[in-house]
Amino acid sequence: MAVDVAVLLILGIVIVFSFRGGGLKAGHALVCVIFGLYLAGTRNIGPFVKDVTASVANLLSGLRL
């Protein structure tokens, strides 16, 4: 639950800066779609999106820079 709230907060901030930064591009639109799916908690694709983002987060947390 805490991770979902953090992801929603981060995606919301990215959306706000995207709108203020001079237009909505394809990458920004994808962020908006992911934000909407998280927010709505849809039954069909929502869990898939959550699994993918959790996998990406695990992959990024495992990287050593």
Side-chain angles (χ1 to χ4, degrees):
M1 176 78 177
V3 173
D4 290 342
V5 173
V7 170
L8 279 173
L9 182 63
I10 291 169
L11 290 175
I13 291 169
V14 169
I15 291 169
V16 167
F17 282 118
S18 296
F19 282 126
R20 297 177 99 200
L24 189 67
K25 298 178 182 166
H28 302 140
L30 180 63
V31 170
C32 291
V33 168
I34 292 172
F35 178 77
L37 289 172
Y38 261 99
L39 193 59
T42 60
R43 293 185 184 193
N44 294 333
I45 197 167
F48 171 72
V49 172
K50 287 184 180 182
D51 290 341
V52 169
T53 53
S55 296
V56 170
N58 286 334
L59 175 72
L60 292 177
S61 68
L63 293 177
R64 307 271 179 185
L65 298 177

